[in-house]
């Protein structure tokens, strides 16, 4: 799976000293996702039980015990995943319409 873009993750964990703990988990998630060959949302869920499958090919990945969330849009045919949101669980909860991201 091609993941666009690692810089989005790096910007997040470098944005505040309180997010430094996200670096290891997000790097591990990124590297794991690069090696994955997810053909369907069900394959993601089979591999990562804490992932949430949403409409319009959106997937929410929970990291650090659900402290952080990554929302992606997945193109299963082309094996590409675009990071649409990176933030804390509290920031995620403030999103009014997940379809907008």
């Amino acid at each position: 799976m091609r993941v666009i873009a690692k810089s989005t993750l790096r910007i997040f964990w470098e944005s505040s000293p309180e997010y430094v703990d996200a670096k290891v988990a997000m790097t591990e998630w990124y590297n794991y996702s690069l090696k994955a060959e997810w053909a369907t949302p069900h394959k993601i869920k089979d591999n990562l039980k804490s992932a949430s499958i949403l409409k319009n090919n959106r997937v929410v990945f929970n990291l650090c015990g659900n402290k952080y969330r990554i929302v992606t849009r997945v193109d299963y045919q082309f094996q590409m995943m675009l990071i649409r949101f990176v933030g804390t669980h509290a920031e995620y909860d403030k999103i009014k319409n997940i379809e907008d991201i």
Side-chain angles (χ1 to χ4, degrees):
M1 183 71 60
R2 182 172 177 210
V3 182
I4 304 168
K6 187 174 184 180
S7 61
T8 306
L9 302 174
R10 186 173 46 254
I11 289 166
F12 175 76
W13 75 62
E14 290 178 350
S15 69
S16 172
E18 67 185 280
Y19 301 151
V20 72
D21 63 328
K23 181 178 181 178
V24 171
M26 289 184 181
T27 301
E28 289 174 355
W29 171 85
Y30 178 84
N31 291 334
Y32 183 84
S33 297
L34 284 178
K35 295 174 186 171
E37 294 182 13
W38 294 314
T40 66
H42 301 293
K43 294 292 183 186
I44 293 175
K45 192 71 174 165
D46 287 345
N47 290 152
L48 299 169
K49 303 292 185 212
S50 66
S52 299
I53 308 301
L54 306 177
K55 293 190 280 185
N56 296 328
N57 295 322
R58 300 273 200 291
V59 181
V60 179
F61 296 94
N62 302 301
L63 294 123
C64 295
N66 208 16
K67 182 177 180 182
Y68 302 111
R69 290 191 166 184
I70 298 172
V71 179
T72 65
R73 182 162 187 167
V74 181
D75 185 320
Y76 297 97
Q77 179 181 356
F78 292 103
Q79 288 293 290
M80 294 177 60
M81 184 163 40
L82 176 64
I83 297 172
R84 303 289 297 170
F85 169 85
V86 179
T88 66
H89 189 139
E91 291 167 336
Y92 175 86
D93 285 344
K94 292 179 185 175
I95 298 171
K96 299 219 184 299
N97 187 358
I98 196 71
E99 302 291 321
D100 291 339
I101 63 168

